[in-house]
Amino acid sequence: MGRVRDKLDAALARIDDPKDEGARACLTVYREPARAAADAADARAKAGISLGPLDGAIVSIKDLFDVAGEVTRAGSKILADEGKPASRDAPIVQRLRAAGAVIIAKTNMTEFAYSGIGANPHFGTPGNPADRARVPGGSSSGGAVAAADRMCDISIGSDTGGSTRIPAALCGIVGFKPSRQRIPTEGAFPLSYTLDSIGPMARSVQDCAGADAVMAGGDARTLEAAPLANLRIGIPQGMPVDRLDDTVGKRFPAALDRLGKAGVRLSDEPLPLLERMAEVNAKGGVLPAEALAVHRDRLARRGNDIDPNVRVRLERAEKIPATDYIIMMRERAELIRAMDARLSDLDALVMPTTPVVAPLLSEVSTPDDFARRNAMVLRNTSMWNFFDCCAISLPLPREGGLPTGLMVVARNGQDHRLFRIAAAVERLLAG
């Protein structure tokens, strides 16, 4: 057998290991199609043919992407019961296959992608690779666990408020949220038509960049790390660096110290626009209103079959008037323009991806505890969906402790530049 088939068989063995999280991380496993795709990749390699950087990569996809002939569950018992099989693959799935990716599995997720914790009462919650008693982060929970535990090379997730970056940070891998318009969301079960974006998680920036290029329909470029010296990187003041737990509170300043010693021009940046964002969201938020529009019928008919932690957020959105939604959309558009102008003199911002390490499952067992910790893990990531920026989470050195992430944020459309900066920061942090 060839190299890709051997790699696939090793990944399948990890999924099937009863001592591991494969059964909870991977809800559908495409054994025979994956073997055929792996053998085809090996045959191309033998003939000296390459379809690009993803040819022969083992890839998993989140449970909300359409695969022809299958019901798209989106982590939901209701959709598993009632859904109609998809008539065709989602565009991003078509593009991955055309690039030679070997699609191994559909991965578990928070129901409807509506929380940052990663718990799922219907299909089980995959344990965090660093400590199985802790949450994986969400909503792309199974994908982050699968990539961290080497059940695949790359996991494709969605990110509406942090759903690739949060689980990547809490599981110790890289997670990327693109500029929203670059990758088609057609064939991805929606949470928010305005905020949904599709991004990869992997163990390296290079793998994320390759997957992103394929899904965006562009040519994958050789990823050259940007020179760090004289990069202008801002540290947002106030909320993004407030109330850090002990672990994040030590590691984030240590990372800043290394960046400074590498010649990065770091500056403290007050961002009053974050307070204006909070004022807009005080009306209820764009995401909850749009999520309710997607799920209102299901909520009325089968509300008791929805994860209670998700249901309560949908029910809360029933109080948002249409006039407030329209006002929020208009105010958001104005703030996006203002933030883009505010960031024009900086190459990037850096902040902790999440202010805390992964909570224990026991720490999110009551509705109040869940809501509080969910808000905390979403705090730093969701703002950049609001402001329509691109962002990446990089694992910070952990010395055997729990994983944490460093988030690097850039203006909308600066994705390639962000990948180059991220590649340099990744190399610096790896020492």
Side-chain angles (χ1 to χ4, degrees), residues 334-360:
E334 181 188 321
L335 292 184
I336 285 170
R337 289 190 291 273
M339 182 63 84
D340 190 63
R342 174 68 179 81
L343 299 181
S344 60
D345 291 333
L346 295 166
D347 292 296
L349 297 171
V350 291
M351 69 208 75
T353 309
T354 62
V356 294
V357 297
L360 290 161

Side-chain angles (χ1 to χ4, degrees), residues 228-231 258-266:
L228 287 173
N230 292 319
L231 275 182
R258 289 171 86 159
L259 289 169
K261 285 175 177 161
V264 173
R265 288 159 55 192
L266 294 167

Side-chain angles (χ1 to χ4, degrees), residues 17 26 35 42 44 62 110 116 133 146 159 162 177 195 227 233 243 258 262 271 297 300 323 329 342 344 364 404 421:
D17 186 340
C26 299
R35 286 179 178 126
D42 281 328
R44 284 192 296 274
K62 191 172 181 174
T110 303
D159 190 311
K177 175 231 173 293
L195 299 172
I233 292 185
R243 292 187 297 143
R258 289 171 86 159
L271 293 177
D297 169 63
T323 46
M329 289 290 280
R342 174 68 179 81
S344 60
V364 294
T404 55
I421 293 169

Side-chain angles (χ1 to χ4, degrees), residues 32-57:
E32 293 316 313
R35 286 179 178 126
D39 290 345
D42 281 328
R44 284 192 296 274
K46 197 170 177 184
I49 298 164
S50 171
L51 299 178
L54 250 58
D55 200 350

Side-chain angles (χ1 to χ4, degrees), residues 203-254:
R203 294 183 299 276
S204 71
V205 172
Q206 177 71 61
D207 280 348
C208 283
D212 172 79
V214 164
M215 292 191 294
D219 293 329
R221 312 176 183 192
T222 304
L223 185 61
E224 291 178 13
L228 287 173
N230 292 319
L231 275 182
R232 298 157 306 170
I233 292 185
I235 306 154
Q237 298 302 287
M239 181 172 61
V241 292
D242 282 351
R243 292 187 297 143
L244 308 181
D245 73 12
D246 289 347
T247 306
V248 180
K250 287 192 188 82
R251 290 199 200 143
F252 178 60

Side-chain angles (χ1 to χ4, degrees), residues 260-282:
K261 285 175 177 161
V264 173
R265 288 159 55 192
L266 294 167
S267 55
D268 291 345
E269 298 290 337
L271 293 177
L273 285 166
L274 298 182
E275 288 155 31
R276 292 188 57 196
M277 173 194 75
E279 289 164 13
V280 172
N281 284 335

Side-chain angles (χ1 to χ4, degrees), residues 77-78 122 298-299 301-308 311:
K77 185 167 75 172
I78 304 172
H122 312 304
R298 267 178 289 275
L299 184 64
R301 287 187 302 106
R302 295 186 60 178
N304 289 339
D305 291 329
I306 297 172
D307 173 356
R311 188 177 72 228

Side-chain angles (χ1 to χ4, degrees), residues 249-420:
K250 287 192 188 82
R251 290 199 200 143
F252 178 60
L256 295 180
D257 186 56
R258 289 171 86 159
L259 289 169
K261 285 175 177 161
V264 173
R265 288 159 55 192
L266 294 167
S267 55
D268 291 345
E269 298 290 337
L271 293 177
L273 285 166
L274 298 182
E275 288 155 31
R276 292 188 57 196
M277 173 194 75
E279 289 164 13
V280 172
N281 284 335
K283 295 183 180 74
V286 169
L287 191 164
E290 294 188 342
L292 180 65
V294 174
H295 296 292
R296 186 167 65 174
D297 169 63
R298 267 178 289 275
L299 184 64
R301 287 187 302 106
R302 295 186 60 178
N304 289 339
D305 291 329
I306 297 172
D307 173 356
N309 290 312
V310 172
R311 188 177 72 228
V312 71
R313 299 181 80 193
L314 291 170
E315 288 170 343
R316 204 179 303 135
E318 291 178 315
K319 299 182 179 69
I320 302 171
T323 46
D324 279 0
Y325 170 74
I326 292 164
I327 291 165
M328 285 188 289
M329 289 290 280
R330 292 181 67 82
E331 289 176 336
R332 174 177 178 259
E334 181 188 321
L335 292 184
I336 285 170
R337 289 190 291 273
M339 182 63 84
D340 190 63
R342 174 68 179 81
L343 299 181
S344 60
D345 291 333
L346 295 166
D347 292 296
L349 297 171
V350 291
M351 69 208 75
T353 309
T354 62
V356 294
V357 297
L360 290 161
L361 285 158
S362 60
E363 291 174 329
V364 294
S365 58
T366 70
D368 287 350
D369 287 342
F370 186 98
R372 190 173 67 253
R373 290 180 188 276
N374 185 52
M376 199 62 169
V377 298
L378 283 160
R379 186 191 77 186
N380 283 8
T381 53
S382 60
M383 62 182 72
W384 304 112
N385 299 79
F386 180 95
F387 285 110
D388 209 9
C389 293
C390 54
I392 191 165
S393 179
L394 304 172
L396 283 168
R398 52 193 265 212
E399 293 90 39
L402 292 168
T404 55
L406 178 75
M407 184 163 56
V408 190
V409 178
R411 297 165 72 194
N412 187 291
Q414 296 286 311
D415 301 62
H416 295 299
R417 176 96 175 117
L418 177 59
F419 273 126
R420 291 188 62 214

